[in-house]
Amino acid sequence: MAKKISRILVTGAVGQIGSELTLALRDRYGAENVVATGRKTAPSGALLETGPFYYIDVTERASLEVVVRKHDIDAIFHMAAILSAVGEKNPQMCWNVNMNGTINVLECAMAHEMATVIIPSSIAAFGPETPRFNTPQETVLKPRTMYGVTKVAGELLCDYYVRRFGVDVRGLRYPGIISAETLPGGGTTDYAVEIYYKAVEQGSYKCFVRDDTALPMMYMPDCIKATLDLAEADFSKLQHHSDFNVGAMSFTAGELAANIAKHVPGFTCAYEPDFRQKIADSWPTSIDDSAARMEWGWKPAWDLDAMTADMLTKLRARHAKGELYKGAAAE
Ligand code: AKB
C-alpha cells in the first residue's frame, strides 16, 4: 500500500514555482508540516511567517539530511534547479546543481523510505529533432542545452530509481510557467513573465525572442494543480513516472503582446533576439499531454485571455503598493 504524505520538504522554495507551491502545500498539509528550503536568496515574509525555513545546498547531501532528520520528512518536492539561459552561461554549474541535487534527493528518499518525491523535468528535454507541433510523450530526446541534458538524464535517473529500488518518484515536463508573485530566474521562457511586469510598469517591453516564437506555456494556478495532482495520484495507475508531458496553452510572443495591448492601451513591444532565440527555436511549440490526462486526470483551466486579465489585475495591485521587481531571481 502506498504511504501517505505527511511531512514535506521543498527545495528551491524561494524560486518562481517553489514560492507559490510551498504556500499551497502548507494550506493543504498544515503549515508546520511543510519545510521550505533555499540556497542563498532571502525568503519573502509569507514563506518565513507561515512555516519553517532553512538554508541548504542540494549539492551537499549532508545539508539535506540534517533537515530531513530533524523534521522526519517523508516527501520531497525538488524544485531547485539551474534553468536554460543561466545553464548556457555556466554549463558545469548547471550539471553540478541539477544532477548532484537530483541524485542526493533520490538517495535521501530511498534511505528514509519516503512516501513520494517530485522531481520536475521540462520541455527543455526536447531538441531540434523532436516533432515541434503536438510533441508526443514518447519521442526523440536530444536537447542542445546543458539544462536539457540534465533534464533528460534526470528523467532517466528518476525512472531508474523507480524500477531498480522501488522509490516513488514522479515528474512533469513543465512548459514556460507564468506568474505574478516571484520572477523566474534565468530561463528562456522568462520573456513571457517579464512582458507583463513591464507592461504595468512602463507600458513597453523589449523582448529577447522574435515575435513569431511560439512556445508552450502554463499559468501558475495550473502548474500548482498539476504538481499536487500528480503527487497525490495513485502510483499503481501510473505507467509513466518522471516524464509526463503537460500542456495548457501555446502562443507566439507577438500574440502575447497583442493580448496584453487589449488591456494596456498604447502598449508596445520591440523584438531584439539574443542567444535565447536559438534555445527557444529548439523547443516544441505545443505538447501532446494525453498520457497525463489518461493516467492521472490532468486538465488545464487557464487560457491566454483569462491569464492576461488575472496577471494584470495582480501586478497592478502590487505596482500600486510599490512591490514590483522585489522578488527577483532566486537560487
Ligand atoms: C526555462 O525557460 O529554462 C524554463 C523551462 C521551460 O524549463 N522555464
Side-chain angles (χ1 to χ4, degrees):
M1 243 245 314
K3 286 192 192 168
K4 237 175 103 260
I5 300 173
S6 315
R7 285 167 306 279
I8 300 165
L9 182 146
V10 184
T11 72
V14 186
Q16 186 201 12
I17 302 177
S19 56
E20 292 193 50
L21 179 65
T22 302
L23 299 183
L25 287 167
R26 283 181 176 163
D27 272 352
R28 204 158 175 125
Y29 291 93
E32 67 291 354
N33 295 323
V34 181
V35 179
T37 66
R39 193 173 78 90
K40 230 169 55 184
T41 311
S44 70
L47 269 190
L48 276 182
E49 282 152 23
T50 58
F53 178 88
Y54 295 88
Y55 286 103
I56 66 162
D57 180 346
V58 293
T59 66
E60 287 165 18
R61 167 122 182 243
S63 77
L64 191 62
E65 280 286 340
V66 171
V67 184
V68 165
R69 283 177 201 277
K70 180 158 183 209
H71 287 269
D72 197 13
I73 293 297
D74 55 29
I76 299 180
F77 286 64
H78 179 44
M79 312 311 290
I82 301 295
L83 301 184
S84 56
V86 170
E88 284 316 280
K89 291 201 166 137
N90 196 338
Q92 274 200 339
M93 175 180 74
C94 181
W95 176 267
N96 180 31
V97 172
N98 295 3
M99 293 316 302
N100 289 323
T102 296
I103 201 154
N104 284 339
V105 166
L106 289 168
E107 281 290 313
C108 195
M110 182 164 73
H112 294 273
E113 296 179 5
M114 288 192 188
T116 197
V117 192
I118 292 288
I119 302 187
S121 184
S122 157
I123 54 163
F126 304 118
E129 286 91 1
T130 309
R132 292 193 74 205
F133 176 71
N134 211 22
T135 300
Q137 176 69 45
E138 308 299 342
T139 187
V140 183
L141 298 174
K142 286 186 170 187
R144 293 287 202 276
T145 61
M146 179 55 95
Y147 174 59
V149 169
T150 67
K151 288 292 146 189
V152 174
E155 288 180 4
L156 293 172
L157 193 62
C158 291
D159 280 351
Y160 178 79
Y161 272 69
V162 174
R163 296 202 176 92
R164 174 82 165 79
F165 302 119
V167 182
D168 179 335
V169 192
R170 301 150 190 230
L172 339 78
R173 291 174 175 150
Y174 286 137
I177 304 298
I178 296 171
S179 63
E181 290 302 324
T182 307
L183 279 165
T188 301
T189 57
D190 293 11
Y191 68 88
V193 183
E194 289 170 9
I195 191 171
Y196 286 102
Y197 278 71
K198 291 291 182 189
V200 168
E201 282 187 317
Q202 57 194 43
S204 63
Y205 180 58
K206 196 168 80 185
C207 184
F208 58 76
V209 295
R210 284 188 321 268
D211 64 341
D212 64 350
T213 307
L215 287 173
M217 301 281 175
M218 184 182 284
Y219 195 31
M220 185 61 91
D222 272 340
C223 170
I224 301 291
K225 185 176 173 336
T227 310
L228 296 182
D229 285 356
L230 177 59
E232 292 168 359
D234 181 346
F235 190 73
S236 68
K237 300 219 163 73
L238 302 183
Q239 280 151 39
H240 298 85
H241 296 103
S242 312
D243 58 3
F244 280 103
N245 279 3
V246 279
M249 55 183 114
S250 290
F251 46 76
T252 65
E255 284 163 349
L256 175 58
N259 199 268
I260 292 172
K262 286 195 224 161
H263 301 258
V264 182
F267 174 68
T268 56
C269 188
Y271 300 91
E272 285 184 25
D274 66 14
F275 73 101
R276 290 168 282 192
Q277 181 69 55
K278 207 169 155 200
I279 303 177
D281 288 343
S282 75
W283 289 353
T285 57
S286 61
I287 294 290
D288 172 3
D289 57 7
S290 42
R293 288 174 188 255
M294 255 163 8
E295 292 178 41
W296 48 277
W298 165 240
K299 192 164 176 260
W302 291 80
D303 63 12
L304 177 58
D305 283 336
M307 174 175 75
T308 295
D310 199 57
M311 278 291 286
L312 292 173
T313 304
K314 288 194 167 121
L315 290 176
R316 280 177 176 139
R318 291 189 63 202
H319 188 51
K321 288 196 258 166
E323 272 182 16
L324 289 198
Y325 271 103
K326 274 193 188 156
E331 276 187 76

